[in-house]
Structure formats: C-alpha cells, structure tokens
PDB file of all heavy atoms in Angstrom:
ATOM      1  N   LEU L 113      -7.043   0.806  -0.048  1.00  0.00           N
ATOM      2  CA  LEU L 113      -6.259  -0.262   0.503  1.00  0.00           C
ATOM      3  C   LEU L 113      -5.568   0.038   1.927  1.00  0.00           C
ATOM      4  O   LEU L 113      -5.069   1.185   1.980  1.00  0.00           O
ATOM      5  CB  LEU L 113      -5.086  -0.535  -0.531  1.00  0.00           C
ATOM      6  CG  LEU L 113      -4.032  -1.655  -0.305  1.00  0.00           C
ATOM      7  CD1 LEU L 113      -4.689  -2.989  -0.203  1.00  0.00           C
ATOM      8  CD2 LEU L 113      -2.982  -1.625  -1.298  1.00  0.00           C
ATOM      9  N   ASP L 114      -5.662  -0.897   2.807  1.00  0.00           N
ATOM     10  CA  ASP L 114      -4.995  -0.645   4.075  1.00  0.00           C
ATOM     11  C   ASP L 114      -3.553  -1.382   3.943  1.00  0.00           C
ATOM     12  O   ASP L 114      -3.324  -2.216   3.267  1.00  0.00           O
ATOM     13  CB  ASP L 114      -5.811  -1.396   5.128  1.00  0.00           C
ATOM     14  CG  ASP L 114      -5.520  -0.902   6.608  1.00  0.00           C
ATOM     15  OD1 ASP L 114      -4.314  -0.445   6.769  1.00  0.00           O
ATOM     16  OD2 ASP L 114      -6.285  -1.058   7.310  1.00  0.00           O
ATOM     17  N   VAL L 115      -2.635  -0.744   4.709  1.00  0.00           N
ATOM     18  CA  VAL L 115      -1.412  -1.273   4.779  1.00  0.00           C
ATOM     19  C   VAL L 115      -1.349  -2.547   5.519  1.00  0.00           C
ATOM     20  O   VAL L 115      -0.693  -3.547   5.136  1.00  0.00           O
ATOM     21  CB  VAL L 115      -0.363  -0.284   5.438  1.00  0.00           C
ATOM     22  CG1 VAL L 115       1.051  -0.933   5.565  1.00  0.00           C
ATOM     23  CG2 VAL L 115      -0.228   0.878   4.588  1.00  0.00           C
ATOM     24  N   ALA L 116      -2.085  -2.578   6.716  1.00  0.00           N
ATOM     25  CA  ALA L 116      -2.130  -3.794   7.497  1.00  0.00           C
ATOM     26  C   ALA L 116      -3.269  -4.753   7.176  1.00  0.00           C
ATOM     27  O   ALA L 116      -4.447  -4.568   7.614  1.00  0.00           O
ATOM     28  CB  ALA L 116      -2.263  -3.338   9.007  1.00  0.00           C
ATOM     29  N   ILE L 117      -2.960  -5.673   6.307  1.00  0.00           N
ATOM     30  CA  ILE L 117      -4.025  -6.672   5.946  1.00  0.00           C
ATOM     31  C   ILE L 117      -3.523  -8.107   6.396  1.00  0.00           C
ATOM     32  O   ILE L 117      -2.326  -8.239   6.576  1.00  0.00           O
ATOM     33  CB  ILE L 117      -4.274  -6.596   4.380  1.00  0.00           C
ATOM     34  CG1 ILE L 117      -3.044  -6.709   3.541  1.00  0.00           C
ATOM     35  CG2 ILE L 117      -5.030  -5.338   4.000  1.00  0.00           C
ATOM     36  CD1 ILE L 117      -3.283  -6.709   2.074  1.00  0.00           C
ATOM     37  N   PRO L 118      -4.428  -9.009   6.539  1.00  0.00           N
ATOM     38  CA  PRO L 118      -4.061 -10.267   7.205  1.00  0.00           C
ATOM     39  C   PRO L 118      -2.974 -10.994   6.690  1.00  0.00           C
ATOM     40  O   PRO L 118      -2.024 -11.443   7.435  1.00  0.00           O
ATOM     41  CB  PRO L 118      -5.354 -11.083   7.235  1.00  0.00           C
ATOM     42  CG  PRO L 118      -6.385 -10.090   7.103  1.00  0.00           C
ATOM     43  CD  PRO L 118      -5.875  -8.950   6.206  1.00  0.00           C
ATOM     44  N   THR L 119      -2.887 -11.265   5.396  1.00  0.00           N
ATOM     45  CA  THR L 119      -1.858 -12.258   4.937  1.00  0.00           C
ATOM     46  C   THR L 119      -0.678 -11.669   4.177  1.00  0.00           C
ATOM     47  O   THR L 119       0.388 -12.286   4.099  1.00  0.00           O
ATOM     48  CB  THR L 119      -2.517 -13.336   4.007  1.00  0.00           C
ATOM     49  OG1 THR L 119      -3.175 -12.588   2.950  1.00  0.00           O
ATOM     50  CG2 THR L 119      -3.541 -14.155   4.607  1.00  0.00           C
ATOM     51  N   LEU L 120      -0.884 -10.466   3.677  1.00  0.00           N
ATOM     52  CA  LEU L 120       0.224  -9.783   2.946  1.00  0.00           C
ATOM     53  C   LEU L 120       0.377  -8.387   3.469  1.00  0.00           C
ATOM     54  O   LEU L 120      -0.657  -7.789   4.003  1.00  0.00           O
ATOM     55  CB  LEU L 120      -0.063  -9.679   1.411  1.00  0.00           C
ATOM     56  CG  LEU L 120       0.040 -10.910   0.555  1.00  0.00           C
ATOM     57  CD1 LEU L 120      -0.554 -10.629  -0.789  1.00  0.00           C
ATOM     58  CD2 LEU L 120       1.360 -11.484   0.493  1.00  0.00           C
ATOM     59  N   ASP L 121       1.526  -7.797   3.337  1.00  0.00           N
ATOM     60  CA  ASP L 121       1.720  -6.424   3.583  1.00  0.00           C
ATOM     61  C   ASP L 121       0.992  -5.590   2.528  1.00  0.00           C
ATOM     62  O   ASP L 121       1.092  -5.811   1.343  1.00  0.00           O
ATOM     63  CB  ASP L 121       3.200  -5.996   3.644  1.00  0.00           C
ATOM     64  CG  ASP L 121       3.373  -4.584   3.967  1.00  0.00           C
ATOM     65  OD1 ASP L 121       3.530  -4.275   5.218  1.00  0.00           O
ATOM     66  OD2 ASP L 121       3.519  -3.790   3.046  1.00  0.00           O
ATOM     67  N   GLY L 122       0.219  -4.633   2.935  1.00  0.00           N
ATOM     68  CA  GLY L 122      -0.485  -3.736   1.937  1.00  0.00           C
ATOM     69  C   GLY L 122       0.373  -3.139   0.914  1.00  0.00           C
ATOM     70  O   GLY L 122       0.003  -2.932  -0.303  1.00  0.00           O
ATOM     71  N   LEU L 123       1.610  -2.781   1.337  1.00  0.00           N
ATOM     72  CA  LEU L 123       2.523  -2.149   0.378  1.00  0.00           C
ATOM     73  C   LEU L 123       2.959  -3.145  -0.695  1.00  0.00           C
ATOM     74  O   LEU L 123       3.213  -2.774  -1.859  1.00  0.00           O
ATOM     75  CB  LEU L 123       3.742  -1.585   1.062  1.00  0.00           C
ATOM     76  CG  LEU L 123       3.418  -0.352   2.014  1.00  0.00           C
ATOM     77  CD1 LEU L 123       4.762   0.063   2.664  1.00  0.00           C
ATOM     78  CD2 LEU L 123       2.716   0.765   1.242  1.00  0.00           C
ATOM     79  N   ASP L 124       3.088  -4.441  -0.318  1.00  0.00           N
ATOM     80  CA  ASP L 124       3.426  -5.424  -1.185  1.00  0.00           C
ATOM     81  C   ASP L 124       2.291  -5.665  -2.283  1.00  0.00           C
ATOM     82  O   ASP L 124       2.494  -5.830  -3.482  1.00  0.00           O
ATOM     83  CB  ASP L 124       3.772  -6.775  -0.593  1.00  0.00           C
ATOM     84  CG  ASP L 124       5.044  -6.727   0.137  1.00  0.00           C
ATOM     85  OD1 ASP L 124       5.944  -5.977  -0.249  1.00  0.00           O
ATOM     86  OD2 ASP L 124       5.177  -7.493   1.141  1.00  0.00           O
ATOM     87  N   VAL L 125       1.071  -5.664  -1.755  1.00  0.00           N
ATOM     88  CA  VAL L 125      -0.090  -5.791  -2.631  1.00  0.00           C
ATOM     89  C   VAL L 125      -0.136  -4.597  -3.586  1.00  0.00           C
ATOM     90  O   VAL L 125      -0.409  -4.719  -4.822  1.00  0.00           O
ATOM     91  CB  VAL L 125      -1.390  -5.752  -1.788  1.00  0.00           C
ATOM     92  CG1 VAL L 125      -2.674  -5.669  -2.551  1.00  0.00           C
ATOM     93  CG2 VAL L 125      -1.454  -7.044  -0.965  1.00  0.00           C
ATOM     94  N   LEU L 126       0.109  -3.395  -3.106  1.00  0.00           N
ATOM     95  CA  LEU L 126       0.070  -2.290  -3.971  1.00  0.00           C
ATOM     96  C   LEU L 126       1.155  -2.312  -5.080  1.00  0.00           C
ATOM     97  O   LEU L 126       0.973  -2.076  -6.226  1.00  0.00           O
ATOM     98  CB  LEU L 126       0.348  -0.937  -3.126  1.00  0.00           C
ATOM     99  CG  LEU L 126       0.572   0.398  -3.856  1.00  0.00           C
ATOM    100  CD1 LEU L 126      -0.773   0.616  -4.679  1.00  0.00           C
ATOM    101  CD2 LEU L 126       0.856   1.463  -2.872  1.00  0.00           C
ATOM    102  N   ARG L 127       2.332  -2.832  -4.742  1.00  0.00           N
ATOM    103  CA  ARG L 127       3.464  -2.930  -5.731  1.00  0.00           C
ATOM    104  C   ARG L 127       3.036  -3.975  -6.731  1.00  0.00           C
ATOM    105  O   ARG L 127       3.214  -3.735  -7.983  1.00  0.00           O
ATOM    106  CB  ARG L 127       4.750  -3.362  -4.987  1.00  0.00           C
ATOM    107  CG  ARG L 127       5.415  -2.275  -4.263  1.00  0.00           C
ATOM    108  CD  ARG L 127       6.718  -2.739  -3.664  1.00  0.00           C
ATOM    109  NE  ARG L 127       7.084  -1.765  -2.577  1.00  0.00           N
ATOM    110  CZ  ARG L 127       7.070  -2.153  -1.319  1.00  0.00           C
ATOM    111  NH1 ARG L 127       6.559  -3.338  -0.983  1.00  0.00           N
ATOM    112  NH2 ARG L 127       7.348  -1.263  -0.434  1.00  0.00           N
ATOM    113  N   GLN L 128       2.485  -5.088  -6.369  1.00  0.00           N
ATOM    114  CA  GLN L 128       1.990  -6.125  -7.374  1.00  0.00           C
ATOM    115  C   GLN L 128       0.912  -5.501  -8.187  1.00  0.00           C
ATOM    116  O   GLN L 128       0.847  -5.723  -9.388  1.00  0.00           O
ATOM    117  CB  GLN L 128       1.458  -7.343  -6.603  1.00  0.00           C
ATOM    118  CG  GLN L 128       2.561  -8.160  -5.932  1.00  0.00           C
ATOM    119  CD  GLN L 128       2.063  -9.334  -5.253  1.00  0.00           C
ATOM    120  OE1 GLN L 128       1.155 -10.048  -5.719  1.00  0.00           O
ATOM    121  NE2 GLN L 128       2.416  -9.542  -4.018  1.00  0.00           N
ATOM    122  N   LEU L 129       0.036  -4.711  -7.617  1.00  0.00           N
ATOM    123  CA  LEU L 129      -1.073  -4.123  -8.411  1.00  0.00           C
ATOM    124  C   LEU L 129      -0.557  -3.293  -9.485  1.00  0.00           C
ATOM    125  O   LEU L 129      -0.975  -3.114 -10.532  1.00  0.00           O
ATOM    126  CB  LEU L 129      -2.013  -3.452  -7.418  1.00  0.00           C
ATOM    127  CG  LEU L 129      -3.275  -2.773  -7.905  1.00  0.00           C
ATOM    128  CD1 LEU L 129      -4.139  -3.802  -8.717  1.00  0.00           C
ATOM    129  CD2 LEU L 129      -4.028  -2.084  -6.896  1.00  0.00           C
ATOM    130  N   ARG L 130       0.538  -2.385  -9.043  1.00  0.00           N
ATOM    131  CA  ARG L 130       1.023  -1.435  -9.888  1.00  0.00           C
ATOM    132  C   ARG L 130       1.728  -1.982 -11.170  1.00  0.00           C
ATOM    133  O   ARG L 130       1.862  -1.407 -12.191  1.00  0.00           O
ATOM    134  CB  ARG L 130       1.994  -0.490  -9.238  1.00  0.00           C
ATOM    135  CG  ARG L 130       1.360   0.654  -8.462  1.00  0.00           C
ATOM    136  CD  ARG L 130       0.627   1.498  -9.330  1.00  0.00           C
ATOM    137  NE  ARG L 130      -0.188   2.472  -8.633  1.00  0.00           N
ATOM    138  CZ  ARG L 130      -1.542   2.472  -8.860  1.00  0.00           C
ATOM    139  NH1 ARG L 130      -2.152   1.655  -9.602  1.00  0.00           N
ATOM    140  NH2 ARG L 130      -2.236   3.350  -8.162  1.00  0.00           N
ATOM    141  N   HIS L 131       2.203  -3.269 -11.057  1.00  0.00           N
ATOM    142  CA  HIS L 131       2.759  -3.964 -12.087  1.00  0.00           C
ATOM    143  C   HIS L 131       1.817  -4.324 -13.284  1.00  0.00           C
ATOM    144  O   HIS L 131       2.237  -4.510 -14.363  1.00  0.00           O
ATOM    145  CB  HIS L 131       3.496  -5.325 -11.639  1.00  0.00           C
ATOM    146  CG  HIS L 131       4.759  -5.048 -10.971  1.00  0.00           C
ATOM    147  ND1 HIS L 131       5.919  -4.561 -11.689  1.00  0.00           N
ATOM    148  CD2 HIS L 131       5.099  -5.203  -9.669  1.00  0.00           C
ATOM    149  CE1 HIS L 131       6.928  -4.477 -10.692  1.00  0.00           C
ATOM    150  NE2 HIS L 131       6.471  -4.855  -9.586  1.00  0.00           N
ATOM    151  N   ARG L 132       0.582  -4.362 -12.902  1.00  0.00           N
ATOM    152  CA  ARG L 132      -0.516  -4.800 -13.775  1.00  0.00           C
ATOM    153  C   ARG L 132      -1.618  -3.795 -14.066  1.00  0.00           C
ATOM    154  O   ARG L 132      -2.467  -4.004 -14.913  1.00  0.00           O
ATOM    155  CB  ARG L 132      -1.135  -6.186 -13.376  1.00  0.00           C
ATOM    156  CG  ARG L 132      -0.032  -7.273 -13.393  1.00  0.00           C
ATOM    157  CD  ARG L 132      -0.547  -8.522 -12.893  1.00  0.00           C
ATOM    158  NE  ARG L 132      -1.585  -9.104 -13.631  1.00  0.00           N
ATOM    159  CZ  ARG L 132      -2.222 -10.225 -13.402  1.00  0.00           C
ATOM    160  NH1 ARG L 132      -1.774 -10.970 -12.344  1.00  0.00           N
ATOM    161  NH2 ARG L 132      -3.208 -10.608 -14.086  1.00  0.00           N
ATOM    162  N   SER L 133      -1.643  -2.749 -13.321  1.00  0.00           N
ATOM    163  CA  SER L 133      -2.771  -1.811 -13.313  1.00  0.00           C
ATOM    164  C   SER L 133      -2.386  -0.405 -12.969  1.00  0.00           C
ATOM    165  O   SER L 133      -1.576  -0.211 -12.147  1.00  0.00           O
ATOM    166  CB  SER L 133      -3.904  -2.273 -12.471  1.00  0.00           C
ATOM    167  OG  SER L 133      -5.033  -1.504 -12.312  1.00  0.00           O
ATOM    168  N   ASP L 134      -3.229   0.506 -13.476  1.00  0.00           N
ATOM    169  CA  ASP L 134      -2.919   1.911 -13.270  1.00  0.00           C
ATOM    170  C   ASP L 134      -4.266   2.571 -12.413  1.00  0.00           C
ATOM    171  O   ASP L 134      -4.361   3.673 -12.471  1.00  0.00           O
ATOM    172  CB  ASP L 134      -2.587   2.806 -14.390  1.00  0.00           C
ATOM    173  CG  ASP L 134      -3.692   2.830 -15.414  1.00  0.00           C
ATOM    174  OD1 ASP L 134      -4.699   2.072 -15.358  1.00  0.00           O
ATOM    175  OD2 ASP L 134      -3.498   3.529 -16.438  1.00  0.00           O
ATOM    176  N   VAL L 135      -5.067   1.603 -11.923  1.00  0.00           N
ATOM    177  CA  VAL L 135      -6.256   2.028 -11.236  1.00  0.00           C
ATOM    178  C   VAL L 135      -5.779   2.922  -9.967  1.00  0.00           C
ATOM    179  O   VAL L 135      -4.814   2.660  -9.363  1.00  0.00           O
ATOM    180  CB  VAL L 135      -7.076   0.812 -10.758  1.00  0.00           C
ATOM    181  CG1 VAL L 135      -6.251  -0.029  -9.745  1.00  0.00           C
ATOM    182  CG2 VAL L 135      -8.326   1.353 -10.088  1.00  0.00           C
ATOM    183  N   PRO L 136      -6.515   4.018  -9.720  1.00  0.00           N
ATOM    184  CA  PRO L 136      -5.994   4.920  -8.646  1.00  0.00           C
ATOM    185  C   PRO L 136      -6.327   4.151  -7.328  1.00  0.00           C
ATOM    186  O   PRO L 136      -7.162   3.335  -7.088  1.00  0.00           O
ATOM    187  CB  PRO L 136      -7.121   6.026  -8.704  1.00  0.00           C
ATOM    188  CG  PRO L 136      -7.638   6.066 -10.035  1.00  0.00           C
ATOM    189  CD  PRO L 136      -7.610   4.624 -10.584  1.00  0.00           C
ATOM    190  N   VAL L 137      -5.213   4.325  -6.345  1.00  0.00           N
ATOM    191  CA  VAL L 137      -5.246   3.620  -5.069  1.00  0.00           C
ATOM    192  C   VAL L 137      -5.092   4.650  -4.050  1.00  0.00           C
ATOM    193  O   VAL L 137      -4.220   5.430  -4.059  1.00  0.00           O
ATOM    194  CB  VAL L 137      -4.213   2.594  -5.039  1.00  0.00           C
ATOM    195  CG1 VAL L 137      -4.097   1.925  -3.657  1.00  0.00           C
ATOM    196  CG2 VAL L 137      -4.394   1.486  -6.140  1.00  0.00           C
ATOM    197  N   ILE L 138      -6.010   4.678  -3.035  1.00  0.00           N
ATOM    198  CA  ILE L 138      -5.896   5.464  -1.860  1.00  0.00           C
ATOM    199  C   ILE L 138      -5.539   4.537  -0.694  1.00  0.00           C
ATOM    200  O   ILE L 138      -6.277   3.532  -0.521  1.00  0.00           O
ATOM    201  CB  ILE L 138      -7.196   6.227  -1.541  1.00  0.00           C
ATOM    202  CG1 ILE L 138      -7.572   7.258  -2.601  1.00  0.00           C
ATOM    203  CG2 ILE L 138      -7.038   6.829  -0.155  1.00  0.00           C
ATOM    204  CD1 ILE L 138      -8.855   7.972  -2.313  1.00  0.00           C
ATOM    205  N   MET L 139      -4.484   4.831  -0.023  1.00  0.00           N
ATOM    206  CA  MET L 139      -4.015   3.985   1.092  1.00  0.00           C
ATOM    207  C   MET L 139      -4.858   4.622   2.300  1.00  0.00           C
ATOM    208  O   MET L 139      -4.802   5.879   2.591  1.00  0.00           O
ATOM    209  CB  MET L 139      -2.581   4.060   1.423  1.00  0.00           C
ATOM    210  CG  MET L 139      -1.702   3.542   0.324  1.00  0.00           C
ATOM    211  SD  MET L 139      -1.874   1.826  -0.047  1.00  0.00           S
ATOM    212  CE  MET L 139      -1.366   1.030   1.366  1.00  0.00           C
ATOM    213  N   LEU L 140      -5.589   3.843   3.000  1.00  0.00           N
ATOM    214  CA  LEU L 140      -6.414   4.266   4.139  1.00  0.00           C
ATOM    215  C   LEU L 140      -5.923   3.387   5.301  1.00  0.00           C
ATOM    216  O   LEU L 140      -6.205   2.189   5.468  1.00  0.00           O
ATOM    217  CB  LEU L 140      -7.816   3.999   3.924  1.00  0.00           C
ATOM    218  CG  LEU L 140      -8.809   4.437   4.974  1.00  0.00           C
ATOM    219  CD1 LEU L 140      -8.674   5.981   5.157  1.00  0.00           C
ATOM    220  CD2 LEU L 140     -10.229   4.073   4.598  1.00  0.00           C
ATOM    221  N   THR L 141      -5.104   3.868   6.183  1.00  0.00           N
ATOM    222  CA  THR L 141      -4.403   3.055   7.285  1.00  0.00           C
ATOM    223  C   THR L 141      -4.063   3.794   8.545  1.00  0.00           C
ATOM    224  O   THR L 141      -4.122   5.014   8.546  1.00  0.00           O
ATOM    225  CB  THR L 141      -3.025   2.562   6.572  1.00  0.00           C
ATOM    226  OG1 THR L 141      -2.418   1.729   7.473  1.00  0.00           O
ATOM    227  CG2 THR L 141      -2.157   3.806   6.156  1.00  0.00           C
ATOM    228  N   ALA L 142      -3.951   3.032   9.520  1.00  0.00           N
ATOM    229  CA  ALA L 142      -3.507   3.540  10.922  1.00  0.00           C
ATOM    230  C   ALA L 142      -2.064   3.883  10.975  1.00  0.00           C
ATOM    231  O   ALA L 142      -1.609   4.554  11.912  1.00  0.00           O
ATOM    232  CB  ALA L 142      -3.934   2.541  12.017  1.00  0.00           C
ATOM    233  N   ARG L 143      -1.294   3.522   9.986  1.00  0.00           N
ATOM    234  CA  ARG L 143       0.153   3.765  10.071  1.00  0.00           C
ATOM    235  C   ARG L 143       0.255   5.222   9.515  1.00  0.00           C
ATOM    236  O   ARG L 143       0.105   5.542   8.371  1.00  0.00           O
ATOM    237  CB  ARG L 143       0.913   2.850   9.146  1.00  0.00           C
ATOM    238  CG  ARG L 143       0.927   1.389   9.706  1.00  0.00           C
ATOM    239  CD  ARG L 143       1.784   0.526   8.878  1.00  0.00           C
ATOM    240  NE  ARG L 143       1.627  -0.848   9.366  1.00  0.00           N
ATOM    241  CZ  ARG L 143       2.122  -1.868   8.866  1.00  0.00           C
ATOM    242  NH1 ARG L 143       2.825  -1.662   7.711  1.00  0.00           N
ATOM    243  NH2 ARG L 143       1.983  -2.981   9.233  1.00  0.00           N
ATOM    244  N   THR L 144       0.681   6.093  10.468  1.00  0.00           N
ATOM    245  CA  THR L 144       0.633   7.519  10.140  1.00  0.00           C
ATOM    246  C   THR L 144       1.948   8.324  10.168  1.00  0.00           C
ATOM    247  O   THR L 144       2.003   9.534   9.975  1.00  0.00           O
ATOM    248  CB  THR L 144      -0.325   8.300  11.190  1.00  0.00           C
ATOM    249  OG1 THR L 144       0.162   8.030  12.559  1.00  0.00           O
ATOM    250  CG2 THR L 144      -1.774   7.689  11.101  1.00  0.00           C
ATOM    251  N   SER L 145       3.066   7.551  10.433  1.00  0.00           N
ATOM    252  CA  SER L 145       4.314   8.229  10.412  1.00  0.00           C
ATOM    253  C   SER L 145       4.664   8.830   9.089  1.00  0.00           C
ATOM    254  O   SER L 145       4.198   8.320   8.039  1.00  0.00           O
ATOM    255  CB  SER L 145       5.411   7.342  10.898  1.00  0.00           C
ATOM    256  OG  SER L 145       5.778   6.446   9.900  1.00  0.00           O
ATOM    257  N   GLN L 146       5.553   9.828   8.966  1.00  0.00           N
ATOM    258  CA  GLN L 146       5.985  10.373   7.754  1.00  0.00           C
ATOM    259  C   GLN L 146       6.629   9.320   6.925  1.00  0.00           C
ATOM    260  O   GLN L 146       6.383   9.180   5.709  1.00  0.00           O
ATOM    261  CB  GLN L 146       6.916  11.517   8.004  1.00  0.00           C
ATOM    262  CG  GLN L 146       7.411  12.213   6.722  1.00  0.00           C
ATOM    263  CD  GLN L 146       8.313  13.321   7.004  1.00  0.00           C
ATOM    264  OE1 GLN L 146       8.883  13.579   8.075  1.00  0.00           O
ATOM    265  NE2 GLN L 146       8.554  14.177   5.956  1.00  0.00           N
ATOM    266  N   ARG L 147       7.441   8.448   7.509  1.00  0.00           N
ATOM    267  CA  ARG L 147       8.091   7.334   6.849  1.00  0.00           C
ATOM    268  C   ARG L 147       7.095   6.403   6.153  1.00  0.00           C
ATOM    269  O   ARG L 147       7.272   6.000   4.993  1.00  0.00           O
ATOM    270  CB  ARG L 147       9.012   6.627   7.745  1.00  0.00           C
ATOM    271  CG  ARG L 147       9.754   5.452   7.057  1.00  0.00           C
ATOM    272  CD  ARG L 147      10.637   4.825   7.978  1.00  0.00           C
ATOM    273  NE  ARG L 147       9.868   4.105   9.053  1.00  0.00           N
ATOM    274  CZ  ARG L 147      10.320   3.366  10.016  1.00  0.00           C
ATOM    275  NH1 ARG L 147      11.604   3.279  10.159  1.00  0.00           N
ATOM    276  NH2 ARG L 147       9.571   2.870  10.885  1.00  0.00           N
ATOM    277  N   ASP L 148       5.951   6.053   6.854  1.00  0.00           N
ATOM    278  CA  ASP L 148       4.894   5.182   6.291  1.00  0.00           C
ATOM    279  C   ASP L 148       4.198   5.882   5.191  1.00  0.00           C
ATOM    280  O   ASP L 148       3.941   5.250   4.084  1.00  0.00           O
ATOM    281  CB  ASP L 148       3.938   4.867   7.299  1.00  0.00           C
ATOM    282  CG  ASP L 148       4.471   3.950   8.395  1.00  0.00           C
ATOM    283  OD1 ASP L 148       5.306   3.050   8.106  1.00  0.00           O
ATOM    284  OD2 ASP L 148       4.080   4.055   9.603  1.00  0.00           O
ATOM    285  N   ARG L 149       3.927   7.197   5.220  1.00  0.00           N
ATOM    286  CA  ARG L 149       3.196   7.863   4.222  1.00  0.00           C
ATOM    287  C   ARG L 149       4.196   7.906   2.935  1.00  0.00           C
ATOM    288  O   ARG L 149       3.682   7.726   1.816  1.00  0.00           O
ATOM    289  CB  ARG L 149       2.837   9.282   4.627  1.00  0.00           C
ATOM    290  CG  ARG L 149       1.739   9.335   5.619  1.00  0.00           C
ATOM    291  CD  ARG L 149       1.163  10.678   5.945  1.00  0.00           C
ATOM    292  NE  ARG L 149       2.261  11.680   6.221  1.00  0.00           N
ATOM    293  CZ  ARG L 149       2.698  11.948   7.480  1.00  0.00           C
ATOM    294  NH1 ARG L 149       2.153  11.441   8.429  1.00  0.00           N
ATOM    295  NH2 ARG L 149       3.538  12.909   7.664  1.00  0.00           N
ATOM    296  N   ILE L 150       5.376   8.235   3.096  1.00  0.00           N
ATOM    297  CA  ILE L 150       6.431   8.345   1.990  1.00  0.00           C
ATOM    298  C   ILE L 150       6.447   6.934   1.353  1.00  0.00           C
ATOM    299  O   ILE L 150       6.425   6.789   0.081  1.00  0.00           O
ATOM    300  CB  ILE L 150       7.734   8.810   2.422  1.00  0.00           C
ATOM    301  CG1 ILE L 150       7.654  10.279   2.804  1.00  0.00           C
ATOM    302  CG2 ILE L 150       8.780   8.574   1.334  1.00  0.00           C
ATOM    303  CD1 ILE L 150       8.806  10.868   3.567  1.00  0.00           C
ATOM    304  N   ALA L 151       6.503   5.837   2.074  1.00  0.00           N
ATOM    305  CA  ALA L 151       6.637   4.482   1.630  1.00  0.00           C
ATOM    306  C   ALA L 151       5.389   4.169   0.775  1.00  0.00           C
ATOM    307  O   ALA L 151       5.541   3.509  -0.335  1.00  0.00           O
ATOM    308  CB  ALA L 151       6.785   3.453   2.744  1.00  0.00           C
TER     309      ALA L 151
END
C-alpha cells in the first residue's frame, strides 16, 4: 500500500483495513520522514 493514493489517504485505508483484516501490509511510499514511518 502507498500512502499517497488518489482518493483517500493510504493511512486511512490502512486503518479501515485493520478494523476488518489482519493481512500483512507493507507500506511502499515516497514519504520517508521518521514521522511518516512511525505514523
């Protein structure tokens, strides 16, 4: 999953996914700050 997706924030998508699934997720993104990684 990328953080920067067209209609939703990738982190919001991840949070929604986590409410219903425990599938492993790797964030693959251009946002590289420590704050972004922690988020």
